[in-house]
Amino acid sequence: MASKVVHAYYLDDEVLMDAVKALKIKHYHIEEVFTPFPVHGLDKLMGLPHTRLAICSFLYGLVGLTVAVTMMNYIMIEDWPQDIGGKPSFSYIENLPSFIPIMFELTVFFAAHLMVITFYMRSKLWPFKKAENPDERTTDDHFLVEVDASHTNVDELTAFLKDTGAVEINLKDKE
Amino acid sequence: MYTLSKNLKLIPIILMVVGAIGLAIGFTTTPSTIEEVKEQLASHHDAHGAAHAPAAAHGAHDKAEHGHGHDTHKAADTHGAHAAKSHDAHDSDKHYEHVLHQLQNKPWAALYVAAFFFFMIALGVLAFYAIQFAAQAGWSPLLLRVMEGITAYLLPGGIILFVILALSGFHMNHLFVWMDPEVVAHDELIQGKSGWLNVPFFLIRAAIYIGVWSLYRHFAVKYSRNQDESPEGNVWYKKSFKLAAVFLVFFIYSESMMSWDWIMSFDPHWFSTLFGWYVFASLFVSGITVIALVTIYLKSKGYLEQVNDSHIHDLAKFMFGISVFWTYLWFSQFMLIWYSNIPEEVTYFITRINDFKLPFFGMLIMNFLFPILLLINSDYKRINWLVVMGGIVILLGHYIDVFNMVMPATVGKSWFIGISEISAVLLFLGIFIYVVFNALTKAPLVPKGNPLLEESKHFHY
């Protein structure tokens, strides 16, 4: 069964927010919203779940800290505990202050980079990826709401969207 | 308008009375002669031995503990060459005289640490208050009256501190070793610094710091009240803005010098360039924490209805961020000195690590590890009781921080958190609560003339 979607265009983020609110009340299923810039509060209005990226980042930071500690403990203390300028290399804790800058940097490095990579993977972004944008104007000054139209009366939906202030409404086949 | 509850009238008075009695006990039980020191040490020694007697099986352990109680002087003496000699000289009167001075300093140092700690909270809040004006912060106007209330402690606290400093200057105690002319006569290093470290100049400087800070506080509060009366044109608000900017310039210089005078000069042989910033971080985070605690308290009593979770969230973010900033400065100071290990600088940390191991490293857990793990979560920063818990630990941690800065040079190995220390904290806590909450009753808790008030009421993060 070929699924159909309706693309409704808006010119203002305030109008868009009201439209999304109205669609939610009517229990229409919003597939996607395309905006040229972040619209504050849109995610809450759409009922999107909270991101867990920060939790990932915290855990990645712990990984980085562990890597730093294990690496330096092996290299500086266990493998070849040389006397370098009188630094005490008898145990990790005795030489700890000189390791802290690296522990800090690796924690930040892992937390930041792995979080960014996670973000790319979760949002399916990479070089040479085919843009999923249905209309170029949404990167400039138009807002687009994509509503599932397979199981609803299209005329009714179109009329409803017109009322919410849409400037252009198209019925599309979804690939 | 805020009115004091019955409890808040009674509690500070009880605290002050209990604290004063405890402190009086602390002062009367200090030994005044070498003989008394010997007696006190002997009884302490016996008690120590008796407590460990049943554990005789742990021979080595017992001995180690034993050595800690009695022979620390021999083991931990940092004056390398002197150490061998002090073994013989251990029982001589010279050692007991040393201990006598330390024990005589103990209640004074306890008084000083508590006086400075509460004063620095008011000072930290004042700096934060000025920054809110200079930065034209839109979130904080609802909290400005709370800050004004807390900074009311600045003048009385400053006067108490000045009196203690003056008493030191008049040789009522031996807190500042450079104030002792006999010591200076034999100490070329202090002689070289006497152009800065001399009692009249020291007291004049102290009077200037306290005076100018109090003047800023006085006019800032006055302008804030005037702005309520005549908000048209924001005349008083603009004056406040300019005054805050001027104050912040003065503050950053005077705070740095204050930290050399009031804290660093306890160790007149030692110096550190980032010390002023380090003390600033400590007082700033304590101040912000107290703002959060007082705000949460007033809100829980229904006086700050428009303060929402987002305001608490912002304060908690500041508590978190400045805690990390404090740790950064603590570590920068420690690591640079540890790494290069220059004898004249490193003794500062050697005495602290040898004699103050638990408070010295314990404060890192309280001031860094605990807040960073507790307040890193965005949701937790909105839960009032978690912020209160974190705040109390941060405040205790920064009390220990001041303790660590003052005690090693004044009482050395004879330190102990006992009656004097706890009583001094209770006494100043009582004065602090009394002054702050009385000041809060003097004006409406919402500065209604502030041009950014509407934004603050709808502040949402």
Side-chain angles (χ1 to χ4, degrees):
Chain A
M1 182 183 122
S3 68
K4 300 233 178 231
V5 289
V6 168
H7 283 177
Y9 292 77
Y10 297 88
L11 287 176
D12 187 82
D13 52 340
E14 292 293 326
V15 181
L16 170 84
M17 296 272 274
D18 291 340
V20 167
K21 213 182 286 176
L23 282 165
K24 273 274 156 195
I25 291 167
K26 283 273 185 180
H27 292 293
Y28 285 117
H29 180 67
I30 300 171
E31 294 269 326
E32 198 68 77
V33 177
F34 296 89
T35 63
F37 54 79
V39 177
H40 233 66
L42 185 60
D43 53 336
K44 267 201 192 111
L45 222 51
M46 290 173 67
L48 298 180
H50 216 276
T51 174
R52 287 166 295 176
L53 211 51
I55 298 168
C56 288
S57 181
F58 184 77
L59 296 175
Y60 296 148
L62 292 182
V63 172
L65 186 64
T66 315
V67 168
V69 171
T70 323
M71 177 184 76
M72 287 185 291
N73 186 47
Y74 176 69
I75 296 172
M76 301 301 290
I77 308 296
E78 284 175 12
D79 190 39
W80 197 346
Q82 273 195 103
D83 183 340
I84 302 165
K87 288 275 159 300
S89 50
F90 308 109
S91 69
Y92 193 77
I93 195 86
E94 273 176 290
N95 211 351
L96 182 67
S98 57
F99 299 146
I100 289 210
I102 295 157
M103 287 157 67
F104 170 76
E105 293 294 349
L106 277 185
T107 307
V108 174
F109 180 87
F110 273 64
H113 289 82
L114 290 181
M115 173 176 73
V116 168
I117 293 168
T118 308
F119 169 73
Y120 286 153
M121 286 165 62
R122 290 290 291 158
S123 39
K124 303 196 175 65
L125 284 174
W126 52 82
F128 311 115
K129 171 179 162 102
K130 194 176 166 292
E132 287 172 4
N133 197 0
D135 192 317
E136 278 182 351
R137 286 174 296 169
T138 62
T139 63
D140 185 11
D141 61 348
H142 280 61
F143 301 81
L144 192 160
V145 181
E146 187 178 286
V147 188
D148 176 37
S150 323
H151 313 290
T152 41
N153 185 337
V154 176
D155 295 336
E156 214 171 82
L157 174 58
T158 312
F160 177 72
L161 287 170
K162 205 99 224 145
D163 283 346
T164 60
V167 290
E168 184 180 329
I169 298 166
N170 303 327
L171 182 67
K172 289 248 169 100
D173 283 327
K174 188 150 191 172
E175 308 97 49
Chain B
M1 209 68 177
Y2 174 65
T3 46
L4 280 177
S5 65
K6 218 177 216 138
N7 279 344
L8 266 180
K9 282 178 190 156
L10 198 61
I11 289 173
I13 293 169
I14 294 173
L15 285 173
M16 280 189 261
V17 171
V18 171
I21 292 171
L23 208 56
I25 293 171
F27 273 105
T28 48
T29 50
T30 45
S32 50
T33 61
I34 291 172
E35 277 62 42
E36 282 177 52
V37 174
K38 285 181 182 168
E39 232 166 78
Q40 270 194 11
L41 284 187
S43 67
H44 178 69
H45 181 79
D46 284 349
H48 207 71
H52 274 267
H58 306 281
H61 171 73
D62 196 37
K63 210 172 160 191
E65 282 288 301
H66 204 71
H68 195 69
H70 187 73
D71 287 341
T72 34
H73 220 69
K74 173 177 74 187
D77 206 314
T78 50
H79 307 286
H82 185 63
K85 238 196 264 168
S86 78
H87 186 50
D88 301 324
H90 185 251
D91 284 325
S92 80
D93 285 352
K94 198 126 197 170
H95 166 69
Y96 286 109
E97 202 184 309
H98 186 60
V99 176
L100 173 68
H101 287 307
Q102 291 186 339
L103 289 176
Q104 283 177 336
N105 266 343
K106 202 170 164 290
W108 281 103
L111 184 73
Y112 186 87
V113 171
F116 181 80
F117 177 69
F118 284 96
F119 177 76
M120 85 176 190
I121 290 174
L123 188 58
V125 174
L126 191 70
F128 193 74
Y129 179 82
I131 289 170
Q132 300 312 305
F133 273 99
Q136 297 179 14
W139 68 279
S140 56
L142 272 179
L143 308 175
L144 289 178
R145 283 286 148 83
V146 176
M147 297 183 212
E148 286 169 15
I150 298 170
T151 53
Y153 181 76
L154 194 81
L155 188 59
I159 289 170
I160 295 170
L161 201 58
F162 185 82
V163 168
I164 299 175
L165 293 174
L167 288 177
S168 299
F170 296 127
H171 309 299
M172 295 288 289
N173 56 53
H174 301 279
L175 282 182
F176 295 90
V177 73
W178 58 266
M179 285 178 177
D180 190 340
E182 248 176 72
V183 173
V184 178
H186 298 104
D187 193 323
E188 283 189 38
L189 280 174
I190 300 181
Q191 281 167 25
K193 294 180 183 183
S194 59
W196 181 267
L197 290 181
N198 61 76
V199 173
F201 190 26
F202 175 82
L203 290 180
I204 291 168
R205 283 197 307 270
I208 292 173
Y209 308 147
I210 296 169
V212 177
W213 295 336
S214 301
L215 269 181
Y216 167 67
R217 196 263 164 193
H218 173 79
F219 283 107
V221 170
K222 196 175 141 194
Y223 292 173
S224 155
R225 306 271 196 275
N226 289 351
Q227 174 72 16
D228 272 10
E229 304 296 322
S230 51
E232 305 82 28
N234 291 324
V235 179
W236 297 104
Y237 179 77
K238 285 176 188 163
K239 281 193 177 185
S240 254
F241 173 80
K242 285 177 199 153
L243 192 66
V246 174
F247 165 74
L248 284 171
V249 174
F250 175 82
F251 173 76
I252 207 60
Y253 285 103
S254 56
E255 189 276 335
S256 202
M257 289 194 264
M258 174 277 279
S259 72
W260 309 335
D261 280 356
W262 297 356
I263 305 281
M264 202 157 79
S265 80
F266 282 114
D267 298 273
H269 286 184
W270 183 78
F271 47 84
S272 163
T273 42
L274 61 68
F275 198 74
W277 280 106
Y278 174 67
V279 174
F280 168 74
S282 204
L283 65 87
F284 203 48
V285 70
S286 313
I288 293 165
T289 305
V290 172
I291 297 173
L293 294 183
V294 175
T295 306
I296 290 173
Y297 172 77
L298 290 175
K299 190 171 144 63
S300 75
K301 294 286 168 197
Y303 285 105
L304 288 170
E305 275 163 15
Q306 285 150 322
V307 171
N308 56 37
D309 285 351
S310 295
H311 293 104
I312 306 297
H313 190 150
D314 258 34
L315 285 170
K317 272 191 282 190
F318 269 109
M319 283 159 63
F320 173 80
I322 310 295
S323 283
V324 176
F325 177 63
W326 174 88
T327 316
Y328 164 67
L329 292 175
W330 177 87
F331 180 70
S332 301
Q333 179 167 281
F334 175 71
M335 194 261 248
L336 284 182
I337 290 173
W338 174 88
Y339 215 118
S340 57
N341 206 17
I342 300 170
E344 70 201 60
E345 289 178 2
V346 86
T347 50
Y348 184 82
F349 286 113
I350 285 179
T351 46
R352 275 157 185 79
I353 291 172
N354 281 341
D355 305 334
F356 290 74
K357 202 170 238 117
L358 183 66
F360 189 65
F361 291 111
M363 76 172 170
L364 273 184
I365 296 170
M366 298 168 85
N367 291 343
F368 174 63
L369 218 53
F370 187 80
I372 203 176
L373 292 177
L374 186 78
L375 294 176
I376 199 165
N377 190 320
S378 188
D379 296 330
Y380 287 1
K381 284 189 276 242
R382 297 169 162 267
I383 301 173
N384 285 351
W385 65 268
L386 271 173
V387 176
V388 170
M389 194 170 75
I392 289 170
V393 173
I394 289 175
L395 284 179
L396 289 175
H398 285 281
Y399 171 79
I400 305 243
D401 185 19
V402 180
F403 188 86
N404 275 324
M405 289 193 272
V406 173
M407 288 296 177
T410 49
V411 301
K413 284 184 264 292
S414 309
W415 74 273
F416 183 66
I417 297 189
I419 294 175
S420 316
E421 283 77 7
I422 294 167
S423 311
V425 170
L426 294 182
L427 172 66
F428 283 99
L429 182 66
I431 302 174
F432 187 82
I433 293 175
Y434 182 82
V435 171
V436 169
F437 283 90
N438 268 311
L440 283 170
T441 62
K442 296 287 192 294
L445 284 177
V446 177
K448 57 180 187 296
N450 193 300
L452 293 164
L453 186 67
E454 263 324 288
E455 186 181 341
S456 180
K457 279 181 187 167
H458 300 109
F459 174 65
H460 166 76
Y461 169 74

